[in-house]
Amino acid sequence: MKLVIINESEAGQRLDKYLNKLLKEAGKSFLYKMLRKKNITLNNKKADGSEHLQAGDEIRLFFSDETFEKFAGTPRTEEPAAKPASAAKLPPVKIIYQDDNVMIVNKPAGILSQKAQADDVSLNEYILQYLLKKGKVTRESAATFRPSVCNRLDRNTSGIVTAGITYRGARELSDMLRDRRADKRYLALVKGVLKRPAYLKGWLTKDRDHNMVSVQPRESEDAQQIETEYIPLGDNGRMTLLEIHLITGKSHQIRAHLASTGHPVVGDTKYGEEQINGWYHRTYHGHFQLLHSWKLSFPADGCSLEGLAGRTFRASLPENFTRVLEGEGLLTYVNMEQPGS
């Protein structure tokens, strides 16, 4: 018999989904059969799999050790630890906030939020290794709930990324981001002079073969509606620093939306302009687009994560972004104070 006691990080999941991860080599039909026959019980009672687990719940699996090991397989958390040299190459990641349920980090440009290829090392691997080292999770618990990011940034965009340490934290963060209860603001340096705030609407289509998107003024087949708001903070007669309110969060939305108006992000090699990008590289030796996830605010009401309710968090600018703004006389427009945190 195998006894499993649910910890805080795993609580909130449905029993059947938890079992699918715990015994990933067993089929769903087998697991439901074991539940019906009471070969798997929850708190010494028969269960059907729809129950939501709580910390301290006891799951008993009346299997031999050999059967359990056969169905559990190799924990996938061994994967990132097998590549310590690769993980060591990641730039430093600053932790802005952490409690028992969530993390908020400042992602450097150049790091993937999530893996694109099997051998990638992403922010997810960094977060998992950090939590394992600090003893916030174990390899056993990470096999049934793996801490991971809840919002993604493009590889070459820096700034705030949230992550769920527990199932509850990941679920609540994802819900607030999806329902737009969390307010996301970006800073971007763009070509040209913009003097007035604007609310942009459009329709975005994806070219998956080339990993690009395009923005159209009208709806078309397979297009997604997008909305982007910006406020000019200041300009130097050639470029403008914008505060951007990301309302809908689609792939490459900010970069493509601004480029479609004739004001591409400086340093954006995919949607930007070759002339201004060349000037940026020659003058400041920059390698990443000047787009930064700057500020994240949580509502006072409707936020069940106590440590986040009513608070605003800001991510400091990368050194290169700061150097460009200072050189162009625009740094004074950035307020990096941390209200409410």
Side-chain angles (χ1 to χ4, degrees), residues 175-244:
D175 287 349
M176 282 191 287
L177 292 166
R178 184 191 64 239
D179 300 340
R180 305 180 192 176
R181 286 179 283 142
D183 185 276
K184 293 181 287 185
R185 304 281 169 150
Y186 291 69
L187 290 178
L189 186 64
V190 301
K191 174 195 172 186
V193 176
L194 294 164
K195 295 290 189 182
R196 297 179 180 178
Y199 194 108
L200 307 177
K201 293 185 177 182
W203 295 88
L204 181 146
T205 57
K206 293 183 179 181
D207 180 347
R208 297 186 185 279
D209 292 336
H210 297 91
N211 190 30
M212 291 189 69
V213 302
S214 60
V215 178
Q216 309 297 331
R218 289 176 293 276
E219 184 176 9
S220 60
E221 186 178 359
D222 297 326
Q224 298 175 305
Q225 189 171 19
I226 56 172
E227 299 176 45
T228 310
E229 182 180 28
Y230 67 72
I231 301 170
L233 298 180
D235 69 85
N236 64 0
R238 294 181 296 115
M239 292 172 287
T240 304
L241 179 65
L242 299 180
E243 177 181 327
I244 299 164

Side-chain angles (χ1 to χ4, degrees), residues 118-138:
D119 59 350
D120 288 335
V121 178
S122 71
L123 189 59
N124 267 342
E125 281 67 57
Y126 172 91
I127 288 170
L128 180 57
Q129 288 196 10
Y130 170 84
L131 293 171
L132 286 168
K133 183 178 179 180
K134 294 294 183 179
K136 296 295 184 181
V137 299
T138 65

Side-chain angles (χ1 to χ4, degrees), residues 109-123:
I111 296 180
L112 288 165
S113 297
Q114 295 179 318
K115 287 188 175 191
Q117 305 292 334
D119 59 350
D120 288 335
V121 178
S122 71
L123 189 59

Side-chain angles (χ1 to χ4, degrees), residues 187-191 239-242 264-267 279 290-291 321 324-325 328 330:
L187 290 178
L189 186 64
V190 301
K191 174 195 172 186
M239 292 172 287
T240 304
L241 179 65
L242 299 180
V265 174
V266 176
W279 164 85
L290 297 180
L291 176 64
F321 204 153
V324 174
L325 293 182
E328 298 304 310
L330 296 169

